[in-house]
Amino acid sequence: MSAINFEDIYRYRGLIFDLDGTLINSMPWHTKAWIQVCAEHGFTIDPKIIYQLGGMASRNIVMHFKEEGKNVGDVDAFVRRKVELYRANLDKVELFAPIAAILRTAKARGLKCAVGTGTQRINATDILKIHHLTDLVDAIVSADDVTRHKPHPDTFLKAAELLGLSPAECLVFDDGPVGLAAAQNGHMDCVEVLNGTLVNFFCNTEKQD
């Protein structure tokens, strides 16, 4: 872990951005949706758990509740309801301007950029379209595109592959422990983001091409 030099960011050939909580300020809306659907199933959750599990696929979060003994009913129906509630507020989700600025600067300097997210592809493509970022993103890897989700490295490794780059050539941005673990498990350097601010740089000394 070390301090961040902004110019160091642009020495990589590719940047991979988590979406929720990193590029967009969507976690309050995700949390609101989770709280509501849980209440509809007769139980409550501590909102903090959603932030702790940020980056994890929705189905895996529901399975987490189920393993705790919560009455989630049909898992797929639970997920569909949560997605429905979240998407009802999709147009209210704002960008984290400093992270979006890094994306724009990277593209202006000729870097390749990808989004590696635990959300469904439709959410990722729609939110990028809403904020006019679609043309800045060369690849998207969503929950629909991998079978092993964060903290497994598959999301970020697939993103690097789609960019035509090795993991060592990419820098990952993520806001949560699950996503940061995924990057490190993929032997990739990563930056921890908190409320649109870069707070820590993690250099993986065991990077592999």
Side-chain angles (χ1 to χ4, degrees):
M1 185 172 69
S2 62
I4 301 162
N5 182 326
F6 268 85
E7 280 305 308
D8 287 341
I9 291 173
Y10 305 110
R11 293 175 184 169
Y12 292 83
R13 294 186 62 196
L15 304 184
I16 303 173
F17 298 86
D18 171 53
L19 191 62
D20 297 302
T22 299
L23 187 57
I24 60 172
N25 189 17
S26 56
M27 291 306 292
W29 299 105
H30 279 294
T31 302
K32 181 179 179 180
W34 281 116
I35 289 172
Q36 181 172 336
V37 72
C38 289
E40 291 172 1
H41 283 75
F43 65 93
T44 60
I45 57 168
D46 184 342
K48 293 179 182 178
I49 191 66
I50 302 304
Y51 285 85
Q52 292 169 0
L53 299 178
M56 190 178 290
S58 293
R59 198 175 196 283
N60 291 348
I61 293 176
V62 180
M63 291 303 298
H64 173 81
F65 294 150
K66 184 175 181 178
E67 290 167 3
E68 288 186 333
K70 302 292 196 302
N71 179 26
V72 301
D74 181 88
V75 173
D76 292 330
F78 196 109
V79 171
R80 285 195 298 271
R81 176 60 174 153
K82 183 269 169 179
V83 171
E84 176 188 28
L85 292 169
Y86 170 67
R87 286 185 60 79
N89 293 299
L90 202 63
D91 60 341
K92 300 174 185 174
V93 176
E94 298 179 346
L95 284 177
F96 280 120
I99 310 304
I102 291 172
L103 170 61
R104 293 188 180 98
T105 300
K107 290 304 296 181
R109 295 192 180 195
L111 277 68
K112 295 182 178 179
C113 294
V115 165
T117 176
T119 197
Q120 295 180 343
R121 176 168 284 270
I122 188 173
N123 293 336
T125 56
D126 284 356
I127 200 71
L128 292 174
K129 187 181 300 183
I130 288 169
H131 291 289
H132 309 289
L133 298 177
T134 303
D135 291 342
L136 301 181
V137 175
D138 300 295
I140 298 172
V141 179
S142 70
D144 303 321
D145 303 311
V146 296
T147 55
R148 299 196 313 163
H149 302 98
K150 302 174 187 178
H152 296 289
D154 302 38
T155 297
F156 295 139
L157 293 178
K158 186 173 181 65
E161 179 184 356
L162 291 174
L163 294 178
L165 302 174
S166 70
E169 293 176 303
C170 299
L171 179 65
V172 171
F173 295 79
D174 208 297
D175 67 299
V178 173
L180 295 172
Q184 292 174 311
N185 288 336
H187 306 288
M188 305 172 82
D189 290 351
C190 55
V191 174
E192 181 182 9
V193 178
L194 180 63
N195 295 323
T197 300
L198 310 185
V199 292
N200 287 310
F201 172 78
F202 296 90
C203 179
N204 195 310
T205 58
E206 299 179 357
K207 286 186 292 184
Q208 298 175 353
D209 292 336

